[in-house]
Amino acid sequence: MPAKLRRMSKSRSRAAVAAVVSLAVVTGAAVLLLRPDAPKADPSADRPDVETATVERTDLSNTRSLRGTLGFGAPKPVKGGGTGTVTALPQAGATAERGKALHRVDDRPVPVFFGATPLFRKLEEPGVKGSDVAVVMDNLAALGHTVGIRPDDDSKAEFTPRVVEALKKWQRKIGLPDTGKIEPGQVLVLAGPVRVSSVTAQPGASAEEELFQVTPTGKVVVLQVSPAEAGAVSQGAKVLLTRPDGRDVPGTIGSVGTAVTGEQGQGSGPQIEVVAMPDRAEDVADLDSAPVQVKITTERREGVLSVPLEALVALREGGYAVQSPGGELKAVETGMHSESRVEVSGPDVVEGMVVVVAR
């Protein structure tokens, strides 16, 4: 066979072999794809991992922390009233009890009554009416004596013969002359139970002078806040009191002042006094005076849907959306923000929905 023909035959053979090999590869691949047990390609293999969270139904709240001082509150002066010479005084720390004396005048005890109106006249003739009579009736009744029906209107309380008789019995019981009469200086009318914080008079002083200063019997936290901060506080609101050791104890706002002290540009500016009280006295029994933080809830939403702040997607046209793991955006309305979460709502937002969180 000529050399040229042999070379052509070899070339054709090599081409035929290559074609067979190629066909085998294609056929093998086709068989592999058609096999039911062949491994399937993962369409998300090239998709980057994403962090997700769920839409939760929860309570959200915001708090504000204000500085206060734990103690017995601001002391208030007490005058004796009436005439005579002070012959005995209480010790600091003594507490006032209804019907019991804190001091003595002309060596006679001056019992304590609780009420809003001090005695301002002598009560001796039946038929007299007024708020001072109401105080006498309320205290005699609280001490176990029968005084008859007490009108709801303090100004209509009447000094009746029954009240006179109850007064005589009480006077005899505590060792006073049973005259059935009472006048200023014979009892000390206080607004309620108090604690003597300091004694300012000396034995021998006139009964009309300031005798001592008193504070509430329980410890309170006094805060001086700006008028703007006071607007977020209401009487009866629940708070948390953070002790110096970091422990939180429950408390309640007892009062929010109305008088503004200080002036803008002087010291810390205008301030209003707010008083908070521990709910349990034993929570602060080991502290006499200490700085505390008062955590006040300024806003609260209950049972709302919320997501982490990082789940919000800002839309170019304005507003926000959340994104599903598949990439779909769903518009939401945002509400209250609280720490790391935000309230969301919308027709496509449901509890338990999975959303993407930005990393």
Side-chain angles (χ1 to χ4, degrees):
M1 180 182 294
K4 183 177 180 181
L5 290 176
R6 287 198 300 270
R7 287 196 297 269
M8 290 178 60
S9 177
K10 291 179 180 180
S11 298
R12 286 173 181 170
S13 298
R14 286 195 296 270
V17 171
V20 171
V21 171
S22 298
L23 179 61
V25 170
V26 171
T27 304
V31 171
L32 182 62
L33 291 173
L34 292 174
R35 283 175 55 197
D37 59 341
K40 298 180 180 179
D42 183 2
S44 63
D46 295 331
R47 183 181 301 164
D49 292 336
V50 295
E51 185 174 339
T52 61
T54 57
V55 177
E56 297 180 4
R57 189 171 298 278
T58 185
D59 297 339
L60 299 179
S61 63
N62 286 321
T63 61
R64 178 178 296 174
S65 186
L66 303 173
R67 290 183 297 178
T69 302
L70 175 72
F72 287 97
K76 297 181 179 180
V78 173
K79 291 186 176 182
T83 60
T85 301
V86 175
T87 53
L89 289 161
Q91 292 184 343
T95 56
E97 298 181 49
R98 191 195 309 266
K100 301 291 183 65
L102 279 176
H103 71 291
R104 298 173 72 93
V105 173
D106 295 339
D107 207 26
R108 288 185 177 180
V110 181
V112 171
F113 276 5
F114 295 148
T117 304
L119 297 188
F120 57 87
R121 59 183 170 177
K122 187 175 184 178
L123 299 177
E124 54 183 343
E125 297 296 332
V128 176
K129 297 181 180 180
S131 55
D132 54 344
V133 178
V135 169
V136 173
M137 293 180 68
D138 289 345
N139 282 273
L140 290 176
L143 292 168
H145 300 279
T146 303
V147 295
I149 298 176
R150 155 68 155 92
D152 293 335
D153 186 344
D154 290 358
S155 65
K156 295 181 179 179
E158 183 177 351
F159 197 60
T160 64
R162 178 173 287 186
V163 176
V164 171
E165 186 59 31
L167 182 57
K168 288 181 177 179
K169 290 181 179 179
W170 173 71
Q171 288 172 329
R172 286 196 296 269
K173 185 175 181 179
I174 65 172
L176 293 175
D178 55 347
T179 62
K181 303 174 184 179
I182 193 168
E183 59 183 300
Q186 290 184 338
V187 295
L188 178 63
V189 180
L190 300 173
V194 292
R195 168 184 174 273
V196 176
S197 60
S198 63
V199 178
T200 54
Q202 297 289 333
S206 169
E208 297 177 330
E209 296 180 8
E210 179 184 314
L211 305 179
F212 40 81
Q213 294 190 330
V214 298
T215 63
T217 55
K219 293 171 186 173
V220 298
V221 177
V222 179
L223 306 87
Q224 299 294 333
V225 303
S226 68
E229 291 173 323
V233 183
S234 60
Q235 183 175 356
K238 293 299 181 181
V239 297
L240 284 178
L241 308 176
T242 305
R243 294 164 39 103
D245 58 10
R247 182 161 64 96
D248 287 339
V249 300
T252 305
I253 298 296
S255 65
V256 180
T258 56
V260 178
T261 60
E263 297 181 3
Q264 189 68 40
Q266 295 185 2
S268 56
Q271 294 183 324
I272 292 177
E273 183 178 276
V274 175
V275 177
M277 302 171 294
D279 289 347
R280 299 186 297 263
E282 57 269 26
D283 286 338
V284 292
D286 59 326
L287 301 174
D288 289 331
S289 178
V292 297
Q293 293 288 327
V294 181
K295 297 177 182 176
I296 300 171
T297 300
T298 57
E299 187 180 12
R300 184 174 180 82
R301 295 275 288 159
E302 297 182 355
V304 298
L305 297 177
S306 70
V307 296
L309 285 170
E310 295 81 3
L312 292 181
V313 178
L315 300 176
R316 179 179 301 176
E317 60 272 23
Y320 294 94
V322 292
Q323 183 179 12
S324 69
E328 182 183 2
L329 292 176
K330 298 183 179 181
V332 296
E333 293 288 336
T334 59
M336 175 179 161
H337 294 68
S338 177
E339 296 181 353
S340 62
R341 299 192 70 84
V342 58
E343 176 187 357
V344 293
S345 61
D348 298 325
V349 181
V350 296
E351 183 178 1
M353 186 173 72
V354 178
V355 295
V356 175
V357 177
R359 289 187 290 183

